[in-house]
């Protein structure tokens, strides 16, 4: 058995980069649930994670990306194009498919792209080589971070410090699923389907309400106060730092189990139904809370379906809605500077009175 473990660890060292296992993360259930639901249904619209420094935001986000199964992409394509889904293909791949029956493919890890705070618009969206276009008549596109993040996760740490113009671009691309770059009459468009995850510390400032509303979910995390839990977190991290590969092996079965649950939920999602009465109650909650627009209704419906799929069900129940609705609505309430009640608690009060 000892020799077998040594062989396993050796294989892991060759093939697995040391990322803290998602199933080893203690606490922060709200953040973990929001991330899981977004990878089950990326159309939820991403998640904004606000919380204290040193609460494991970045660790958890990187861990969820490492948990996801590999995806099939067209070989040598700049945009991680899907070999059969037209909505996830670049224009060049579409034209190749029309002229050829077979394109070589390969499997890659789900892209996890970090967007640095100092990134320029060209770095995010990509740029067109105008000189080459004019001199050689060739439309050359240098892909940006949105191209690399297609079919993956785009993570923006300290998103509340990012330029509002760039946040707008990210949210537009995440909502439409496409990125268009136009320069000097030349236009390039490519798919940009990704889960947008932003994190930040509320002490450093909030996002504008118009931008915050565009995130599907909003998770708030706090520093763990219970001494025994804090000790458990420290011990888990120390164990990983001393030998990450042994830690990965320890949690391999749990990781594999969760990975299979995510895949099963993604397949089950199209079959999940939500009764008309429950949809009316969701809208009643949104109306009572005076939520502007209909994004709150739409996201809550999507998140409830994703949660039901994750729980191995094909029909949404009232408890599924109760579990996700605070995550979907707390950031959409109008801010009152004199209000002393936490927005999440305010949502919960209304939910308890309507969803019973």
């Amino acid at each position: 058995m000892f020799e077998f473990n040594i062989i396993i660890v050796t294989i892991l060292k060759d093939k697995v980069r040391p990322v803290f296992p998602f199933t080893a993360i203690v606490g922060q259930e709200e953040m973990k649930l929001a991330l899981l639901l977004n990878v089950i249904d990326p159309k939820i619209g991403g998640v904004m994670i606000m919380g204290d420094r040193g609460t494991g935001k970045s660790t958890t986000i990187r861990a969820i990306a490492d948990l996801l199964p590999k995806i099939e992409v067209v070989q040598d394509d700049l945009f991680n194009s899907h070999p059969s889904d037209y909505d996830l293909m670049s224009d060049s791949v579409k034209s190749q498919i029309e002229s050829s029956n077979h394109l070589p493919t390969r499997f890659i890890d789900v892209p996890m792209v970090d967007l640095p705070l100092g990134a320029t618009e060209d770095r995010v969206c990509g740029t067109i080589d105008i000189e080459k276009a004019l001199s050689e008549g060739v439309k050359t596109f240098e892909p940006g971070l949105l191209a690399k993040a297609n079919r993956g996760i785009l993570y923006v740490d300290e998103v509340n410090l990012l330029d509002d113009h760039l946040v707008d671009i990210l949210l537009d691309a995440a909502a439409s699923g496409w990125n268009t770059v136009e320069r000097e009459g030349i236009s390039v468009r490519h798919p940009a389907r990704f889960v947008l995850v932003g994190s930040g510390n509320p002490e450093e400032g909030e996002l504008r309400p118009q931008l915050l509303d565009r995130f599907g979910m909003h998770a708030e995390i706090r520093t763990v106060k219970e001494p025994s839990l804090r000790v458990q977190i420290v011990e888990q991290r120390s164990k990983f730092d001393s030998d990450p590969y042994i830690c990965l092996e320890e949690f391999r079965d749990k990781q594999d189990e969760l990975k299979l649950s995510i895949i099963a939920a993604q397949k089950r999602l199209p079959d999940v139904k939500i009764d008309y009465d429950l949809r009316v109650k969701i809208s009643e909650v949104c109306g009572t809370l005076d939520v502007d627009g209909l994004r709150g209704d739409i996201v809550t419906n999507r998140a409830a379906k994703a949660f039901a799929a994750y729980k191995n069900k094909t029909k949404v129940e009232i408890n599924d809605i109760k579990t996700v609705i605070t995550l979907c609505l707390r950031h959409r309430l109008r801010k009152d500077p004199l209000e002393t009640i936490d927005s999440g608690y305010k949502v919960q009060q209304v939910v308890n009175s309507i969803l019973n």
Side-chain angles (χ1 to χ4, degrees), residues 188-253:
V188 173
R189 193 177 81 125
H190 69 79
R193 300 286 179 93
F194 52 84
V195 176
L196 180 62
V197 181
S199 69
N201 183 347
E203 292 175 1
E204 294 167 347
E206 294 278 357
L207 271 178
R208 285 192 290 120
Q210 301 94 312
L211 296 177
L212 196 55
D213 177 63
R214 300 274 293 280
F215 280 91
M217 305 179 91
H218 186 284
E220 288 184 358
I221 55 177
R222 296 284 177 263
T223 304
V224 175
K225 303 295 184 187
E226 191 181 329
S228 60
L229 267 183
R230 290 173 75 107
V231 169
Q232 192 180 342
I233 293 167
V234 171
E235 285 179 348
Q236 203 74 275
R237 187 71 223 190
S238 299
K239 187 190 298 183
F240 179 80
D241 290 339
S242 62
D243 195 328
Y245 302 102
I246 290 289
C247 187
L248 286 170
E249 175 58 21
E250 182 185 335
F251 285 91
R252 188 161 60 104
D253 290 343

Side-chain angles (χ1 to χ4, degrees), residues 55-309:
T55 45
K57 298 188 291 290
S58 299
T59 299
T60 308
I61 293 158
R62 290 185 174 86
I64 191 75
D66 195 58
L67 183 70
L68 299 176
K70 290 178 181 288
I71 57 171
E72 188 179 11
V73 301
V74 174
Q75 198 166 304
D76 301 325
D77 181 71
L78 298 172
F79 312 107
N80 305 324
S81 290
H82 196 285
S84 58
D85 188 337
Y86 263 62
D87 287 338
L88 299 173
M89 284 182 198
S90 63
D91 292 338
S92 61
V93 169
K94 286 178 184 174
S95 60
Q96 286 180 62
I97 284 180
E98 287 167 6
S99 59
S100 169
N101 292 327
H102 175 72
L103 287 176
T105 64
R106 65 192 180 101
F107 283 87
I108 64 168
D109 291 329
V110 169
M112 168 71 191
V113 177
D114 283 281
L115 190 144
L117 274 179
T120 61
E121 185 176 339
D122 283 352
R123 178 80 181 96
V124 173
C125 299
T127 184
I128 298 168
D129 191 334
I130 294 298
E131 287 185 22
K132 202 166 186 178
L134 295 175
S135 61
E136 301 177 24
V138 179
K139 185 159 59 174
T140 306
F141 178 66
E142 291 291 333
L145 296 176
L146 293 182
K148 292 179 181 177
N150 187 38
R151 300 178 65 199
I153 296 173
L154 181 61
Y155 173 44
V156 189
D157 194 11
E158 307 295 353
V159 67
N160 46 336
L161 302 181
L162 195 67
D163 183 74
D164 280 351
H165 172 59
L166 283 181
V167 178
D168 252 333
I169 290 172
L170 294 176
L171 291 167
D172 282 339
S176 67
W178 291 90
N179 174 45
T180 304
V181 180
E182 294 184 348
R183 193 173 165 204
E184 307 295 338
I186 299 173
S187 177
V188 173
R189 193 177 81 125
H190 69 79
R193 300 286 179 93
F194 52 84
V195 176
L196 180 62
V197 181
S199 69
N201 183 347
E203 292 175 1
E204 294 167 347
E206 294 278 357
L207 271 178
R208 285 192 290 120
Q210 301 94 312
L211 296 177
L212 196 55
D213 177 63
R214 300 274 293 280
F215 280 91
M217 305 179 91
H218 186 284
E220 288 184 358
I221 55 177
R222 296 284 177 263
T223 304
V224 175
K225 303 295 184 187
E226 191 181 329
S228 60
L229 267 183
R230 290 173 75 107
V231 169
Q232 192 180 342
I233 293 167
V234 171
E235 285 179 348
Q236 203 74 275
R237 187 71 223 190
S238 299
K239 187 190 298 183
F240 179 80
D241 290 339
S242 62
D243 195 328
Y245 302 102
I246 290 289
C247 187
L248 286 170
E249 175 58 21
E250 182 185 335
F251 285 91
R252 188 161 60 104
D253 290 343
K254 285 185 178 179
Q255 291 281 101
D256 290 343
E257 187 181 332
L258 183 53
K259 188 182 291 187
L260 290 173
S261 294
I262 291 171
I263 295 168
Q266 289 171 335
K267 290 178 181 175
R268 194 179 297 111
L269 184 63
D271 300 322
V272 178
K273 307 297 180 190
I274 180 168
D275 286 344
Y276 177 77
D277 290 347
L278 291 181
R279 280 181 275 153
V280 169
K281 284 185 179 293
I282 288 170
S283 293
E284 189 180 343
V285 170
C286 293
T288 304
L289 288 167
D290 203 19
V291 174
D292 290 330
L294 294 173
R295 280 201 187 102
D297 307 56
I298 294 167
V299 171
T300 304
N301 276 272
R302 284 194 180 281
K305 285 182 177 181
F307 186 69

